[in-house]
Amino acid sequence: MSQEALFELKQVEKSFVKGKETISIFNDLNMTIDRGDFLAIMGPSGSGKTTLLNMLGGVDQPSGGEIWFDGARMDNLSESKLTQWRAHNIGFIFQFYNLMPMLNAARNVELPLLLTRLSRSQRKRSVEAALALVGLSDRAKHMTSEMSGGQQQRVAIARAIVSDPKLILCDEPTGDLDRTTADEILEMLQLLNRDHGKTIVMVTHDPAAASYARQTVHLDKGKFVHKEVLA
Amino acid sequence: MTSLFAQIGTVAMMNIRSLPRRLWMSLAMVLASAVVVAILLAFLAMAKGFESTMNSAGSDRVAVMMREGSAAEINSVITREQVNLIEESPGIARDTEGAPLVSPELYVIVDGLKKSSATKANIPLRGINTTGMAMRGNMQLVEGRMFTAGTNELIVGTGVLREFDGFALGEEVRFGKNVWTVVGVFTTGGNVFESELWADVKVIQSHYDRGSSYQTIRAQLETPGDISGLEKTIELEPRLNLEVQTESAYFAAQGKQLEYMAIFGRVISAIMALGALAGALNTMYTSVADRAKEIATLRTLGFSNLSAFCGTMIEALVLSAAGGLLGSAAAFLFFDGLSASTLGGSFTQVVFSFEMSPDLFAQGAQLALLIGFTSGFFPAWRAARLPVIVAFRAAT
Ligand SMILES: Nc1ncnc2c1ncn2[C@@H]1O[C@H](COP(=O)(O)OP(=O)(O)OP(=O)(O)O)[C@@H](O)[C@H]1O
Ligand SMILES: [Mg+2]
């Protein structure tokens, strides 16, 4: 295993059982994701992008093979161990933001910190720092349901980075946004990758979005078809 | 551990704040629990009120004697000779001149017109003397005066006055061919004697052709609760085919009469609770479905499934507890102190008040929480088992 590898997938298989049929999405998928990478995953609908991202994020488990993270196997962890693993290591950014509409921006950002041992004042400071980073310091007390899509996604980014995870996973983070807002969000992800050393894996349909990444892999029928290195 | 409390607290707070999204369903659950609790409390308060009306009537210091086998006063007959024999018995208290404190009483039934239903109902007319009145320790005239011995005068209990027409002070009432005048109003501290009319025992004997016979004998006991002297006398004297018991024992047995109301109330509210439970389960399953994406998102972020379980459970308990409080408040407002009357032991009306008490409220609270717990448990289980990947589905 190379020094830089954060993720290593070895002969990963994934299939879903639908009624009497078994649909095989991946069989024998091998890949590594390096520390500090910003990886875009592209591919046609149904090619397994979300399925792959879910396995990397520990919300879904492979049917076979091994997934190593930071030198330890994670695919065979129990559900409660995986839950803790996610809390410690992963920041999630969703296509539809997945904010809690009954909480204000600051309380939304604070959620992952409730899983840590931080005191109230430490949490407050981290929330303020995260909101400042996404340029929403003045909106801390606003309800997220009253915000624009771009603002909501920025709150979601603040939530994803507030507990300082090693890895950020995004599934179509700009899929619901217009071009200019999408560019803002992507620049922000790029900044997190370049200046804050976050490893980012982003699923997208949009070649313009993928151009912000360091590399892009194309997925089709459960295989990587080719890989581009951009930066 | 602190993290777990923080998680549960946050999830519970979010669930409560999201209630307006499910306003009508949640209100329906609150109302259903409220109705069930109110109904349970109404029945229990009725039984409780009746029981304490009966219980407080009975004194330990007084023995009641009736003919053997007559469960209630109305069925009993006692001769003057038997009264004389009892007066000689040991164990009976005596006044300063050495006269035994014994009250032979008559108990006949007359008609009255109920205010609530304008229908006729039975009222007991008790023939009594001053010794007998003195045995009702808490008897007090609140209006008018005592009846004069040997006349057609009577005094009326406040319960009768409250529930029946035509017994106001100074009014003339006709029972059969006799006309009586109400000269006084008495209370006995809220107990069953207030549901009676009292008049001179000798006058009733003559109007109702009872010769020199009576129906019950009451005797003041030398030692409270000790009827052994009287029992001995009755055992040794074959002419005394009597049963003796303390007055408190006599009324306690009668007070159990409305126990079936408590049982009935429990059965009714249990059946209704099942209905409320079905509705509450539906509300809570809807809540879990409504919050599915939020639950899954929190689980993705690393919140435990226990927090999803507890959050749902707390929501159910909060809703049912709100219903319990509402139901208790309603029961208290509408039923506490409510006057009612029912058939007592001798087919006469006993007037009593519904009585709410802390232990009844505790039973109401238990029922509400039981509804909350049961209706929360299965949906909470579902919330805890919700697949995390729901978070990644398209917006709904
Ligand atoms: N939970 C599941 N049960 C059954 N089949 C599933 C499940 N999740 C995904 N699939 C199937 O696996 C395949 C890959 O799905 P996936 O969501 O990973 O595709 P995708 O590349 O993300 O597509 P899109 O671009 O539309 O988001 C699809 O055929 C899908 O129907
Ligand atoms: Mg997808």
Side-chain angles (χ1 to χ4, degrees), chain A residues 79 86 98 102 107 114, chain B residues 10 13 17 297 299-300 391:
Chain A
E79 197 196 302
R86 288 197 300 270
N98 290 28
M102 62 300 262
R107 296 285 251 159
L114 297 176
Chain B
T10 305
M13 180 262 281
R17 284 203 196 165
T297 301
R299 297 277 291 114
T300 305

Side-chain angles (χ1 to χ4, degrees), chain B residues 99-111:
Chain B
L101 295 178
V102 167
S103 166
E105 297 177 9
L106 262 178
Y107 187 92
V108 299
I109 283 172
V110 297
D111 272 345

Side-chain angles (χ1 to χ4, degrees), chain A residues 16-18 23 25 43-52 172 203 205, chain B residues 389 393:
Chain A
F16 292 107
V17 181
K18 224 174 205 171
I23 310 166
I25 312 295
S45 207
S47 58
K49 305 183 296 295
T50 299
T51 306
L52 174 58
E172 307 272 8
V203 164
H205 270 119
Chain B
I389 42 176
R393 292 216 182 115

